[in-house]
Amino acid sequence: MAETLTTIIAAVRALLVNVTTTELSDAQVTEAIRRGLKRLDNDEPYVKITAVAGTDAKFFKLTTILTSWNVDLSNIKKIFYPAPVIADDEGVTRLSSKDYEIYNNGTDWYIRFTDAISIGESTIIHYTIPRTLNGLDAATSSLLETNRASALIFVSTALSCYALASKASGFVDSQIPGDFIEFRTKEASYRRMGDTWMKEYLAELGSGAPVKAAIAQADFDPTLQYGGDRLTHYSRNR
């Protein structure tokens, strides 16, 4: 099942035990998810691969040859030319950054190759595109790998915890001494929770060791009802 903004909000709230919508609204969780999606794109970009047929030209309009290109967020990762004929067991040649450049003529973005791409040959372009989540901003479909849904949920939960910590911190200066201690305790607790879920996020990406998550009042057992330790897949299938 493709994830949507609604399902991700529900999953984040399931991890924010005892946090009500009064404390953290759906709009605030949505903002955490928006930031979490950008964090995921930054840490592990989604790469699309496209073959472009040669036309004996050097200039190619990016949004024409790379239909998913985002003028603000996409980047070229690597280019191979000429594309090898697999059946002939041809070698693979990767172009260096000196062999092409991204160029704007004041109206559109182009890629210009130092040497023309010959008719009858193709170039293979690897480029990044931003992930999307159905219901978030203007997106009407989701581009989120099944094995990265948990990562988005974990990082969004972490960012939600940091938002709760900031909110608790903002109450401190106006409180009487007894309440001051309570809000300081809440702030520290939410920051610890945020750090815990951020570690889970990094572990999901293979960037750190998983740790047992803690909530404000009790330990959270990450073992789910079906016996797995991931929200969307068994760890052995990663």
Side-chain angles (χ1 to χ4, degrees):
M1 180 186 71
E3 299 290 351
T4 66
L5 177 61
T6 300
T7 62
I8 297 296
I9 288 176
V12 170
R13 286 210 175 276
L15 299 183
L16 294 173
V17 182
N18 297 330
V19 176
T20 67
T21 55
T22 300
E23 295 175 281
L24 195 71
S25 68
D26 280 350
Q28 290 172 307
V29 176
T30 297
E31 178 58 25
I33 293 170
R34 181 181 292 110
R35 292 172 57 202
L37 201 61
K38 291 180 179 178
R39 171 68 187 263
L40 179 58
D41 279 338
N42 183 69
D43 290 342
E44 189 180 271
Y46 186 97
V47 178
K48 188 168 184 177
I49 304 172
T50 298
V52 179
T55 60
D56 277 344
K58 292 184 178 182
F59 282 92
F60 293 83
K61 187 177 178 180
L62 281 172
T63 53
T64 298
I65 63 171
L66 307 178
T67 55
S68 298
W69 180 267
N70 183 299
V71 295
D72 296 316
L73 301 173
S74 291
N75 289 293
I76 299 291
K77 296 294 287 184
K78 50 189 174 183
I79 299 177
F80 298 96
Y81 177 75
V85 178
I86 304 300
D88 294 341
D89 198 25
E90 292 183 345
V92 177
T93 302
R94 179 176 176 176
L95 299 184
S96 75
S97 58
K98 297 179 181 179
D99 296 323
Y100 64 90
E101 62 180 330
I102 305 300
Y103 170 77
N104 187 289
N105 67 350
T107 303
D108 295 302
W109 287 95
Y110 292 82
I111 183 169
R112 178 190 180 277
F113 293 93
T114 302
D115 297 315
I117 306 301
S118 302
I119 293 176
E121 293 184 335
S122 296
T123 181
I124 306 297
I125 301 178
H126 295 230
Y127 66 105
T128 64
I129 59 176
R131 292 175 175 87
T132 59
L133 192 62
N134 190 0
L136 180 63
D137 299 326
T140 56
S141 61
S142 295
L143 177 62
L144 178 66
E145 311 92 305
T146 301
N147 66 345
R148 285 295 170 256
S150 290
L152 176 59
I153 292 166
F154 292 156
V155 71
S156 300
T157 303
L159 295 173
S160 295
C161 289
Y162 294 145
L164 286 165
S166 295
K167 184 177 180 180
S169 176
F171 280 111
V172 169
D173 292 338
S174 62
Q175 302 302 312
I176 60 177
D179 289 337
F180 176 91
I181 295 175
E182 178 185 352
F183 281 108
R184 277 299 189 201
T185 300
K186 281 188 175 182
E187 178 189 0
S189 179
Y190 284 135
R191 291 201 184 281
R192 285 195 300 270
M193 289 168 60
D195 291 345
T196 293
W197 287 116
M198 189 61 73
K199 289 177 182 177
E200 288 287 347
Y201 162 71
L202 294 174
E204 191 71 13
L205 297 187
S207 303
V211 296
K212 188 176 182 182
I215 63 173
Q217 297 179 356
D219 286 340
F220 171 78
D221 184 358
T223 301
L224 303 181
Q225 290 182 353
Y226 60 80
D229 61 354
R230 291 290 180 262
L231 292 177
T232 58
H233 59 280
Y234 287 91
S235 59
R236 64 172 179 270
N237 292 330
R238 290 176 59 201

